[in-house]
Amino acid sequence: MKITIDGPAASGKSTLGAALAKQLGYLYFDTGVMYRAVTLAVFQHKIDIHDEAAVTALAQSIRIEVTPPHTLDGRQYTVWLDGQDVTWNLRGPEIDANVSIPSAYATVRHAMVAQQRRIAERGNVVMVGRDIGTVVLPDADIKIYLDASVEERAQRRHSELLAREQPSDYAEVLAKMQQRDLLDSSRAASPLRPAPDAIIIDSTNKPVGIVLAELEHIIADRRLDKAALKRVTP
Ligand code: DC
């Protein structure tokens, strides 16, 4: 089965997607890291982030690989950018503040989507992002759209930063998240929105365990539906 989880920043996609994939024995793939890696490469190569052609050429030339964690420091996976471990570099405030710019370029998205589809072809997968159910895997078996109030999402991100001993100011995190929400949902190329056949879950005020149980329920129901369909159409 292919399961997609889309939603805005800090809606719980990665935590839930990873937990679900682990439980099902599926591959977990967080597509946000690809756009983050492109943004980091733009800074490393000192390219003008507003130069769409240059950013696209760079996106087409870099090698982004995601592997199981190669060290135990709380990471869910290791991200390699041209052979360099950049897992934590992708989570810095400079990346958060700029990642929506390359993500809005249709040509950059084209290159990333092709790689994402190739990864999904490997088989059972839980793929998370913004446009997975709408554009990348429109034929997915189960599409989830995970939402939460922007205040709660900002609080989650603020707590995450503090837990990693990084300086953080809640009001600033909230303002930046509102700005990123606006950019991600108003861009012309594959904007953030639920697929028409997505199941929308609001995780505001819900502990992770409760949302995970909801997801498990949805998957179990869908599996039963598929099994019943197989029986009537052999
Ligand atoms: O999920 P995240 O916060 O790591 O994603 C970082 C950015 O990447 C997000 O602001 C928009 C972009 N993105 C995207 O445009 N499409 C995706 N499928 C995943 C992420």
Side-chain angles (χ1 to χ4, degrees), residues 9 13 31-32 35-36 91 99-100 103 109 129-132 180 184 187:
K13 302 184 301 289
T31 58
Y35 296 95
R36 288 176 178 271
R91 301 289 154 192
V99 63
S100 291
S103 309
R109 304 199 67 81
R130 300 289 189 288
D131 60 338
I132 313 303
R180 190 142 69 98
D184 289 346
R187 67 185 180 210

Side-chain angles (χ1 to χ4, degrees), residues 28-182:
Y28 166 65
F29 194 79
D30 175 3
T31 58
V33 301
M34 299 182 81
Y35 296 95
R36 288 176 178 271
V38 170
T39 310
L40 180 65
V42 165
F43 292 134
Q44 286 181 341
H45 291 255
K46 297 191 171 39
I47 283 173
D48 175 6
I49 201 163
H50 298 287
D51 182 342
E52 181 168 350
V55 174
T56 302
L58 181 69
Q60 288 166 344
S61 70
I62 55 177
R63 207 176 70 248
I64 305 165
E65 285 162 296
V66 184
T67 64
H70 78 297
T71 177
L72 294 175
D73 61 358
R75 62 182 64 194
Q76 290 174 319
Y77 40 70
T78 298
V79 186
W80 306 91
L81 173 58
D82 287 331
Q84 184 198 357
D85 172 11
V86 295
T87 314
W88 292 119
N89 311 49
L90 300 183
R91 301 289 154 192
E94 208 189 358
I95 303 294
D96 271 351
N98 290 282
V99 63
S100 291
I101 303 170
S103 309
Y105 297 151
T107 41
V108 168
R109 304 199 67 81
H110 196 257
M112 300 298 119
V113 168
Q115 292 187 43
Q116 290 157 13
R117 287 188 180 141
R118 270 200 299 278
I119 290 163
E121 272 167 21
R122 292 182 206 161
N124 292 331
V125 68
V126 177
M127 191 168 273
V128 316
R130 300 289 189 288
D131 60 338
I132 313 303
T134 50
V135 175
V136 182
L137 303 174
D139 298 327
D141 303 275
I142 299 177
K143 298 180 185 177
I144 306 292
Y145 186 89
L146 206 54
D147 212 347
S149 73
V150 69
E151 291 78 14
E152 175 150 338
R153 291 186 287 112
Q155 185 58 53
R156 290 176 190 168
R157 185 53 49 87
H158 174 60
S159 307
E160 258 170 44
L161 289 166
L162 294 180
R164 291 209 304 271
E165 292 177 5
Q166 287 183 18
S168 180
D169 174 72
Y170 170 74
E172 209 176 295
V173 174
L174 176 63
K176 285 187 175 154
M177 196 158 281
Q178 283 165 329
Q179 194 194 4
R180 190 142 69 98
D181 281 356
L182 181 69

Side-chain angles (χ1 to χ4, degrees), residues 204-220:
T204 311
N205 296 322
K206 278 188 199 163
V208 172
I210 299 285
V211 185
L212 188 60
E214 263 181 65
L215 289 177
E216 284 165 5
H217 219 84
I218 291 166
I219 291 162

Side-chain angles (χ1 to χ4, degrees), residues 182-202:
L182 181 69
L183 290 171
D184 289 346
S185 54
S186 63
R187 67 185 180 210
S190 313
L192 167 67
R193 64 174 55 134
D197 51 346
I199 298 164
I200 300 175
I201 298 181
D202 191 327

